[in-house]
Amino acid sequence: DVAASPQTICSGTSTSVAITNPNGVPGTIFHWTVFSVTNVSGAAAGNGNTISQVLTSTDGVNTGTVTYRITPIANGCAGTPVDVTVTVTAKPVITNTSTSLIQEICSGTALSFLPTSSIGGTTYSWTSSVIGVLTGVSASGTGAITDTPVNGTNSSAVIIYTITPTSSGCIGLPANLVVTVRPV
């Protein structure tokens, strides 16, 4: 007999499917094949007590699956195969154009920046850092960036908002929104 539990992982991370032998036959080895695969790369046949493979969503948007067929072999005899499925969730990518990620505004102008992603339902968290002197800048937040930065000096200042997308528990690569705030 074979026992293995299904898993859900984020794209670009490794599986850790533990294979066990519930009936305890000594000397049992496990061989697995890729029984079916949809929208995933990195799956391969192998042997051992753990399926540990880095799997990646091939289109970067949709969830994919790999079903491994695991066969126990003891004393030259093959046991009953068991299928286990690994679901691979794509990581979100911020899709705002590079030109929209660089902005120049006048002091006191309200920002209205809404991040967009390759995956529907993505949430966004962000932090900010200021180069220069500004008021009206939030240190962190979620969703749209709607600060109204005020520059009371006579030289421009810069805000760098680092935005991190998350979808289905998978964290995508951060992107920076760079806002230059000119004095009035």
PDB file of all heavy atoms in Angstrom, residues 11-47:
ATOM      1  N   SER A  11       3.646  28.726  -7.571  1.00  0.00           N
ATOM      2  CA  SER A  11       4.514  28.539  -8.722  1.00  0.00           C
ATOM      3  C   SER A  11       5.958  28.893  -8.370  1.00  0.00           C
ATOM      4  O   SER A  11       6.213  29.884  -7.692  1.00  0.00           O
ATOM      5  CB  SER A  11       4.031  29.429  -9.870  1.00  0.00           C
ATOM      6  OG  SER A  11       4.853  29.263 -10.998  1.00  0.00           O
ATOM      7  N   GLY A  12       6.891  28.049  -8.820  1.00  0.00           N
ATOM      8  CA  GLY A  12       8.310  28.298  -8.584  1.00  0.00           C
ATOM      9  C   GLY A  12       8.814  27.770  -7.252  1.00  0.00           C
ATOM     10  O   GLY A  12       9.959  28.011  -6.897  1.00  0.00           O
ATOM     11  N   THR A  13       7.962  27.053  -6.514  1.00  0.00           N
ATOM     12  CA  THR A  13       8.405  26.457  -5.256  1.00  0.00           C
ATOM     13  C   THR A  13       8.403  24.936  -5.389  1.00  0.00           C
ATOM     14  O   THR A  13       7.907  24.379  -6.358  1.00  0.00           O
ATOM     15  CB  THR A  13       7.518  26.888  -4.061  1.00  0.00           C
ATOM     16  OG1 THR A  13       6.183  26.457  -4.298  1.00  0.00           O
ATOM     17  CG2 THR A  13       7.539  28.397  -3.877  1.00  0.00           C
ATOM     18  N   SER A  14       8.960  24.280  -4.379  1.00  0.00           N
ATOM     19  CA  SER A  14       9.149  22.838  -4.435  1.00  0.00           C
ATOM     20  C   SER A  14       8.022  22.074  -3.747  1.00  0.00           C
ATOM     21  O   SER A  14       7.511  22.492  -2.711  1.00  0.00           O
ATOM     22  CB  SER A  14      10.482  22.466  -3.773  1.00  0.00           C
ATOM     23  OG  SER A  14      10.688  21.071  -3.855  1.00  0.00           O
ATOM     24  N   THR A  15       7.682  20.951  -4.342  1.00  0.00           N
ATOM     25  CA  THR A  15       6.747  20.031  -3.697  1.00  0.00           C
ATOM     26  C   THR A  15       7.469  19.353  -2.535  1.00  0.00           C
ATOM     27  O   THR A  15       8.708  19.330  -2.472  1.00  0.00           O
ATOM     28  CB  THR A  15       6.294  18.929  -4.672  1.00  0.00           C
ATOM     29  OG1 THR A  15       7.442  18.164  -5.072  1.00  0.00           O
ATOM     30  CG2 THR A  15       5.615  19.498  -5.885  1.00  0.00           C
ATOM     31  N   SER A  16       6.692  18.801  -1.627  1.00  0.00           N
ATOM     32  CA  SER A  16       7.270  17.971  -0.561  1.00  0.00           C
ATOM     33  C   SER A  16       6.258  16.880  -0.223  1.00  0.00           C
ATOM     34  O   SER A  16       5.771  16.773   0.895  1.00  0.00           O
ATOM     35  CB  SER A  16       7.617  18.815   0.669  1.00  0.00           C
ATOM     36  OG  SER A  16       6.460  19.460   1.148  1.00  0.00           O
ATOM     37  N   VAL A  17       5.943  16.088  -1.240  1.00  0.00           N
ATOM     38  CA  VAL A  17       4.965  15.017  -1.081  1.00  0.00           C
ATOM     39  C   VAL A  17       5.654  13.833  -0.409  1.00  0.00           C
ATOM     40  O   VAL A  17       6.510  13.176  -0.996  1.00  0.00           O
ATOM     41  CB  VAL A  17       4.372  14.592  -2.444  1.00  0.00           C
ATOM     42  CG1 VAL A  17       3.417  13.425  -2.270  1.00  0.00           C
ATOM     43  CG2 VAL A  17       3.689  15.768  -3.124  1.00  0.00           C
ATOM     44  N   ALA A  18       5.273  13.585   0.847  1.00  0.00           N
ATOM     45  CA  ALA A  18       5.830  12.448   1.591  1.00  0.00           C
ATOM     46  C   ALA A  18       5.042  11.188   1.238  1.00  0.00           C
ATOM     47  O   ALA A  18       3.814  11.180   1.273  1.00  0.00           O
ATOM     48  CB  ALA A  18       5.771  12.720   3.083  1.00  0.00           C
ATOM     49  N   ILE A  19       5.771  10.142   0.896  1.00  0.00           N
ATOM     50  CA  ILE A  19       5.153   8.868   0.531  1.00  0.00           C
ATOM     51  C   ILE A  19       5.399   7.893   1.686  1.00  0.00           C
ATOM     52  O   ILE A  19       6.535   7.724   2.130  1.00  0.00           O
ATOM     53  CB  ILE A  19       5.759   8.317  -0.778  1.00  0.00           C
ATOM     54  CG1 ILE A  19       5.639   9.352  -1.894  1.00  0.00           C
ATOM     55  CG2 ILE A  19       5.093   7.007  -1.165  1.00  0.00           C
ATOM     56  CD1 ILE A  19       6.462   9.023  -3.137  1.00  0.00           C
ATOM     57  N   THR A  20       4.326   7.288   2.156  1.00  0.00           N
ATOM     58  CA  THR A  20       4.473   6.343   3.269  1.00  0.00           C
ATOM     59  C   THR A  20       3.958   4.967   2.877  1.00  0.00           C
ATOM     60  O   THR A  20       3.242   4.802   1.891  1.00  0.00           O
ATOM     61  CB  THR A  20       3.715   6.834   4.522  1.00  0.00           C
ATOM     62  OG1 THR A  20       2.334   6.977   4.199  1.00  0.00           O
ATOM     63  CG2 THR A  20       4.269   8.165   5.007  1.00  0.00           C
ATOM     64  N   ASN A  21       4.318   3.993   3.692  1.00  0.00           N
ATOM     65  CA  ASN A  21       3.979   2.602   3.469  1.00  0.00           C
ATOM     66  C   ASN A  21       3.134   2.125   4.656  1.00  0.00           C
ATOM     67  O   ASN A  21       3.670   1.617   5.635  1.00  0.00           O
ATOM     68  CB  ASN A  21       5.278   1.800   3.355  1.00  0.00           C
ATOM     69  CG  ASN A  21       5.057   0.342   3.070  1.00  0.00           C
ATOM     70  OD1 ASN A  21       3.940  -0.137   3.012  1.00  0.00           O
ATOM     71  ND2 ASN A  21       6.159  -0.373   2.912  1.00  0.00           N
ATOM     72  N   PRO A  22       1.796   2.285   4.594  1.00  0.00           N
ATOM     73  CA  PRO A  22       0.951   1.972   5.739  1.00  0.00           C
ATOM     74  C   PRO A  22       1.031   0.528   6.215  1.00  0.00           C
ATOM     75  O   PRO A  22       0.871   0.261   7.398  1.00  0.00           O
ATOM     76  CB  PRO A  22      -0.462   2.303   5.255  1.00  0.00           C
ATOM     77  CG  PRO A  22      -0.302   3.162   4.063  1.00  0.00           C
ATOM     78  CD  PRO A  22       1.020   2.818   3.480  1.00  0.00           C
ATOM     79  N   ASN A  23       1.274  -0.423   5.320  1.00  0.00           N
ATOM     80  CA  ASN A  23       1.317  -1.822   5.771  1.00  0.00           C
ATOM     81  C   ASN A  23       2.721  -2.261   6.186  1.00  0.00           C
ATOM     82  O   ASN A  23       2.903  -3.396   6.610  1.00  0.00           O
ATOM     83  CB  ASN A  23       0.706  -2.768   4.733  1.00  0.00           C
ATOM     84  CG  ASN A  23       1.507  -2.828   3.444  1.00  0.00           C
ATOM     85  OD1 ASN A  23       2.534  -2.170   3.314  1.00  0.00           O
ATOM     86  ND2 ASN A  23       1.022  -3.615   2.497  1.00  0.00           N
ATOM     87  N   GLY A  24       3.701  -1.379   6.068  1.00  0.00           N
ATOM     88  CA  GLY A  24       5.030  -1.616   6.632  1.00  0.00           C
ATOM     89  C   GLY A  24       5.833  -2.757   6.031  1.00  0.00           C
ATOM     90  O   GLY A  24       6.665  -3.353   6.727  1.00  0.00           O
ATOM     91  N   VAL A  25       5.638  -3.094   4.765  1.00  0.00           N
ATOM     92  CA  VAL A  25       6.430  -4.160   4.148  1.00  0.00           C
ATOM     93  C   VAL A  25       7.879  -3.698   4.065  1.00  0.00           C
ATOM     94  O   VAL A  25       8.176  -2.661   3.465  1.00  0.00           O
ATOM     95  CB  VAL A  25       5.882  -4.524   2.747  1.00  0.00           C
ATOM     96  CG1 VAL A  25       6.789  -5.530   2.062  1.00  0.00           C
ATOM     97  CG2 VAL A  25       4.462  -5.034   2.837  1.00  0.00           C
ATOM     98  N   PRO A  26       8.810  -4.463   4.681  1.00  0.00           N
ATOM     99  CA  PRO A  26      10.214  -4.048   4.670  1.00  0.00           C
ATOM    100  C   PRO A  26      10.771  -4.001   3.239  1.00  0.00           C
ATOM    101  O   PRO A  26      10.397  -4.802   2.391  1.00  0.00           O
ATOM    102  CB  PRO A  26      10.925  -5.138   5.469  1.00  0.00           C
ATOM    103  CG  PRO A  26       9.851  -5.893   6.186  1.00  0.00           C
ATOM    104  CD  PRO A  26       8.599  -5.701   5.413  1.00  0.00           C
ATOM    105  N   GLY A  27      11.658  -3.021   3.005  1.00  0.00           N
ATOM    106  CA  GLY A  27      12.345  -2.915   1.719  1.00  0.00           C
ATOM    107  C   GLY A  27      11.509  -2.322   0.602  1.00  0.00           C
ATOM    108  O   GLY A  27      11.914  -2.364  -0.560  1.00  0.00           O
ATOM    109  N   THR A  28      10.354  -1.766   0.925  1.00  0.00           N
ATOM    110  CA  THR A  28       9.501  -1.182  -0.108  1.00  0.00           C
ATOM    111  C   THR A  28      10.167   0.075  -0.678  1.00  0.00           C
ATOM    112  O   THR A  28      10.668   0.918   0.061  1.00  0.00           O
ATOM    113  CB  THR A  28       8.114  -0.814   0.456  1.00  0.00           C
ATOM    114  OG1 THR A  28       7.483  -1.996   0.938  1.00  0.00           O
ATOM    115  CG2 THR A  28       7.234  -0.184  -0.610  1.00  0.00           C
ATOM    116  N   ILE A  29      10.190   0.141  -1.998  1.00  0.00           N
ATOM    117  CA  ILE A  29      10.645   1.362  -2.668  1.00  0.00           C
ATOM    118  C   ILE A  29       9.452   1.941  -3.426  1.00  0.00           C
ATOM    119  O   ILE A  29       8.495   1.226  -3.731  1.00  0.00           O
ATOM    120  CB  ILE A  29      11.839   1.106  -3.613  1.00  0.00           C
ATOM    121  CG1 ILE A  29      11.460   0.106  -4.712  1.00  0.00           C
ATOM    122  CG2 ILE A  29      13.063   0.640  -2.846  1.00  0.00           C
ATOM    123  CD1 ILE A  29      12.477   0.016  -5.826  1.00  0.00           C
ATOM    124  N   PHE A  30       9.520   3.229  -3.690  1.00  0.00           N
ATOM    125  CA  PHE A  30       8.412   3.883  -4.384  1.00  0.00           C
ATOM    126  C   PHE A  30       8.921   4.470  -5.690  1.00  0.00           C
ATOM    127  O   PHE A  30       9.948   5.143  -5.730  1.00  0.00           O
ATOM    128  CB  PHE A  30       7.818   4.995  -3.510  1.00  0.00           C
ATOM    129  CG  PHE A  30       7.345   4.496  -2.175  1.00  0.00           C
ATOM    130  CD1 PHE A  30       8.111   4.679  -1.038  1.00  0.00           C
ATOM    131  CD2 PHE A  30       6.147   3.805  -2.065  1.00  0.00           C
ATOM    132  CE1 PHE A  30       7.696   4.210   0.190  1.00  0.00           C
ATOM    133  CE2 PHE A  30       5.716   3.335  -0.842  1.00  0.00           C
ATOM    134  CZ  PHE A  30       6.487   3.530   0.289  1.00  0.00           C
ATOM    135  N   HIS A  31       8.176   4.194  -6.741  1.00  0.00           N
ATOM    136  CA  HIS A  31       8.475   4.743  -8.065  1.00  0.00           C
ATOM    137  C   HIS A  31       7.257   5.559  -8.490  1.00  0.00           C
ATOM    138  O   HIS A  31       6.130   5.115  -8.309  1.00  0.00           O
ATOM    139  CB  HIS A  31       8.734   3.611  -9.071  1.00  0.00           C
ATOM    140  CG  HIS A  31       8.905   4.096 -10.471  1.00  0.00           C
ATOM    141  ND1 HIS A  31      10.034   4.741 -10.900  1.00  0.00           N
ATOM    142  CD2 HIS A  31       8.064   4.062 -11.543  1.00  0.00           C
ATOM    143  CE1 HIS A  31       9.891   5.083 -12.175  1.00  0.00           C
ATOM    144  NE2 HIS A  31       8.706   4.673 -12.581  1.00  0.00           N
ATOM    145  N   TRP A  32       7.499   6.767  -9.028  1.00  0.00           N
ATOM    146  CA  TRP A  32       6.363   7.556  -9.507  1.00  0.00           C
ATOM    147  C   TRP A  32       6.586   7.993 -10.935  1.00  0.00           C
ATOM    148  O   TRP A  32       7.717   8.152 -11.388  1.00  0.00           O
ATOM    149  CB  TRP A  32       6.073   8.761  -8.606  1.00  0.00           C
ATOM    150  CG  TRP A  32       7.150   9.814  -8.593  1.00  0.00           C
ATOM    151  CD1 TRP A  32       7.332  10.829  -9.497  1.00  0.00           C
ATOM    152  CD2 TRP A  32       8.193   9.955  -7.644  1.00  0.00           C
ATOM    153  NE1 TRP A  32       8.415  11.583  -9.156  1.00  0.00           N
ATOM    154  CE2 TRP A  32       8.968  11.072  -8.007  1.00  0.00           C
ATOM    155  CE3 TRP A  32       8.554   9.252  -6.491  1.00  0.00           C
ATOM    156  CZ2 TRP A  32      10.068  11.493  -7.293  1.00  0.00           C
ATOM    157  CZ3 TRP A  32       9.648   9.674  -5.781  1.00  0.00           C
ATOM    158  CH2 TRP A  32      10.396  10.787  -6.181  1.00  0.00           C
ATOM    159  N   THR A  33       5.472   8.149 -11.632  1.00  0.00           N
ATOM    160  CA  THR A  33       5.461   8.683 -12.987  1.00  0.00           C
ATOM    161  C   THR A  33       4.531   9.895 -12.994  1.00  0.00           C
ATOM    162  O   THR A  33       3.710  10.067 -12.087  1.00  0.00           O
ATOM    163  CB  THR A  33       4.928   7.650 -14.007  1.00  0.00           C
ATOM    164  OG1 THR A  33       3.606   7.274 -13.624  1.00  0.00           O
ATOM    165  CG2 THR A  33       5.843   6.425 -14.066  1.00  0.00           C
ATOM    166  N   VAL A  34       4.662  10.717 -14.019  1.00  0.00           N
ATOM    167  CA  VAL A  34       3.759  11.850 -14.191  1.00  0.00           C
ATOM    168  C   VAL A  34       2.569  11.305 -14.983  1.00  0.00           C
ATOM    169  O   VAL A  34       2.670  11.022 -16.165  1.00  0.00           O
ATOM    170  CB  VAL A  34       4.444  13.026 -14.919  1.00  0.00           C
ATOM    171  CG1 VAL A  34       3.454  14.149 -15.155  1.00  0.00           C
ATOM    172  CG2 VAL A  34       5.647  13.503 -14.127  1.00  0.00           C
ATOM    173  N   PHE A  35       1.458  11.128 -14.281  1.00  0.00           N
ATOM    174  CA  PHE A  35       0.254  10.541 -14.875  1.00  0.00           C
ATOM    175  C   PHE A  35      -0.481  11.557 -15.747  1.00  0.00           C
ATOM    176  O   PHE A  35      -0.937  11.243 -16.829  1.00  0.00           O
ATOM    177  CB  PHE A  35      -0.653   9.996 -13.777  1.00  0.00           C
ATOM    178  CG  PHE A  35      -1.887   9.339 -14.280  1.00  0.00           C
ATOM    179  CD1 PHE A  35      -1.816   8.137 -14.979  1.00  0.00           C
ATOM    180  CD2 PHE A  35      -3.132   9.903 -14.068  1.00  0.00           C
ATOM    181  CE1 PHE A  35      -2.967   7.523 -15.456  1.00  0.00           C
ATOM    182  CE2 PHE A  35      -4.284   9.298 -14.537  1.00  0.00           C
ATOM    183  CZ  PHE A  35      -4.200   8.103 -15.231  1.00  0.00           C
ATOM    184  N   SER A  36      -0.595  12.799 -15.250  1.00  0.00           N
ATOM    185  CA  SER A  36      -1.200  13.870 -16.055  1.00  0.00           C
ATOM    186  C   SER A  36      -0.633  15.203 -15.590  1.00  0.00           C
ATOM    187  O   SER A  36      -0.240  15.358 -14.437  1.00  0.00           O
ATOM    188  CB  SER A  36      -2.728  13.870 -15.949  1.00  0.00           C
ATOM    189  OG  SER A  36      -3.135  14.256 -14.657  1.00  0.00           O
ATOM    190  N   VAL A  37      -0.606  16.163 -16.510  1.00  0.00           N
ATOM    191  CA  VAL A  37      -0.085  17.495 -16.192  1.00  0.00           C
ATOM    192  C   VAL A  37      -0.849  18.526 -17.004  1.00  0.00           C
ATOM    193  O   VAL A  37      -1.125  18.316 -18.184  1.00  0.00           O
ATOM    194  CB  VAL A  37       1.445  17.572 -16.450  1.00  0.00           C
ATOM    195  CG1 VAL A  37       1.781  17.339 -17.901  1.00  0.00           C
ATOM    196  CG2 VAL A  37       2.010  18.880 -15.969  1.00  0.00           C
ATOM    197  N   THR A  38      -1.245  19.620 -16.331  1.00  0.00           N
ATOM    198  CA  THR A  38      -1.947  20.711 -16.993  1.00  0.00           C
ATOM    199  C   THR A  38      -1.342  22.034 -16.528  1.00  0.00           C
ATOM    200  O   THR A  38      -1.335  22.325 -15.324  1.00  0.00           O
ATOM    201  CB  THR A  38      -3.451  20.693 -16.628  1.00  0.00           C
ATOM    202  OG1 THR A  38      -3.991  19.429 -16.985  1.00  0.00           O
ATOM    203  CG2 THR A  38      -4.201  21.785 -17.356  1.00  0.00           C
ATOM    204  N   ASN A  39      -0.797  22.804 -17.445  1.00  0.00           N
ATOM    205  CA  ASN A  39      -0.287  24.158 -17.184  1.00  0.00           C
ATOM    206  C   ASN A  39       0.827  24.181 -16.135  1.00  0.00           C
ATOM    207  O   ASN A  39       0.915  25.104 -15.334  1.00  0.00           O
ATOM    208  CB  ASN A  39      -1.437  25.092 -16.772  1.00  0.00           C
ATOM    209  CG  ASN A  39      -1.029  26.549 -16.793  1.00  0.00           C
ATOM    210  OD1 ASN A  39      -0.336  26.993 -17.702  1.00  0.00           O
ATOM    211  ND2 ASN A  39      -1.411  27.296 -15.775  1.00  0.00           N
ATOM    212  N   VAL A  40       1.676  23.163 -16.139  1.00  0.00           N
ATOM    213  CA  VAL A  40       2.780  23.095 -15.173  1.00  0.00           C
ATOM    214  C   VAL A  40       4.014  22.545 -15.873  1.00  0.00           C
ATOM    215  O   VAL A  40       3.920  21.615 -16.675  1.00  0.00           O
ATOM    216  CB  VAL A  40       2.424  22.178 -13.973  1.00  0.00           C
ATOM    217  CG1 VAL A  40       3.621  21.954 -13.072  1.00  0.00           C
ATOM    218  CG2 VAL A  40       1.276  22.767 -13.174  1.00  0.00           C
ATOM    219  N   SER A  41       5.180  23.118 -15.542  1.00  0.00           N
ATOM    220  CA  SER A  41       6.449  22.548 -15.995  1.00  0.00           C
ATOM    221  C   SER A  41       7.263  22.144 -14.773  1.00  0.00           C
ATOM    222  O   SER A  41       7.038  22.648 -13.670  1.00  0.00           O
ATOM    223  CB  SER A  41       7.229  23.552 -16.850  1.00  0.00           C
ATOM    224  OG  SER A  41       7.574  24.684 -16.073  1.00  0.00           O
ATOM    225  N   GLY A  42       8.195  21.223 -14.964  1.00  0.00           N
ATOM    226  CA  GLY A  42       9.100  20.807 -13.900  1.00  0.00           C
ATOM    227  C   GLY A  42       8.807  19.442 -13.316  1.00  0.00           C
ATOM    228  O   GLY A  42       9.578  18.932 -12.516  1.00  0.00           O
ATOM    229  N   ALA A  43       7.698  18.825 -13.705  1.00  0.00           N
ATOM    230  CA  ALA A  43       7.348  17.510 -13.158  1.00  0.00           C
ATOM    231  C   ALA A  43       8.117  16.424 -13.905  1.00  0.00           C
ATOM    232  O   ALA A  43       8.272  16.482 -15.120  1.00  0.00           O
ATOM    233  CB  ALA A  43       5.852  17.271 -13.281  1.00  0.00           C
ATOM    234  N   ALA A  44       8.588  15.438 -13.149  1.00  0.00           N
ATOM    235  CA  ALA A  44       9.340  14.333 -13.760  1.00  0.00           C
ATOM    236  C   ALA A  44       9.141  13.065 -12.951  1.00  0.00           C
ATOM    237  O   ALA A  44       8.823  13.110 -11.759  1.00  0.00           O
ATOM    238  CB  ALA A  44      10.826  14.683 -13.822  1.00  0.00           C
ATOM    239  N   ALA A  45       9.358  11.928 -13.597  1.00  0.00           N
ATOM    240  CA  ALA A  45       9.290  10.635 -12.923  1.00  0.00           C
ATOM    241  C   ALA A  45      10.473  10.507 -11.973  1.00  0.00           C
ATOM    242  O   ALA A  45      11.482  11.205 -12.115  1.00  0.00           O
ATOM    243  CB  ALA A  45       9.313   9.515 -13.960  1.00  0.00           C
ATOM    244  N   GLY A  46      10.346   9.604 -10.992  1.00  0.00           N
ATOM    245  CA  GLY A  46      11.448   9.410 -10.066  1.00  0.00           C
ATOM    246  C   GLY A  46      11.184   8.303  -9.075  1.00  0.00           C
ATOM    247  O   GLY A  46      10.207   7.555  -9.189  1.00  0.00           O
ATOM    248  N   ASN A  47      12.084   8.189  -8.097  1.00  0.00           N
ATOM    249  CA  ASN A  47      12.003   7.174  -7.046  1.00  0.00           C
ATOM    250  C   ASN A  47      12.289   7.821  -5.708  1.00  0.00           C
ATOM    251  O   ASN A  47      12.974   8.842  -5.642  1.00  0.00           O
ATOM    252  CB  ASN A  47      13.056   6.076  -7.272  1.00  0.00           C
ATOM    253  CG  ASN A  47      12.815   5.312  -8.546  1.00  0.00           C
ATOM    254  OD1 ASN A  47      11.828   4.614  -8.667  1.00  0.00           O
ATOM    255  ND2 ASN A  47      13.718   5.459  -9.504  1.00  0.00           N
TER     256      ASN A  47
END
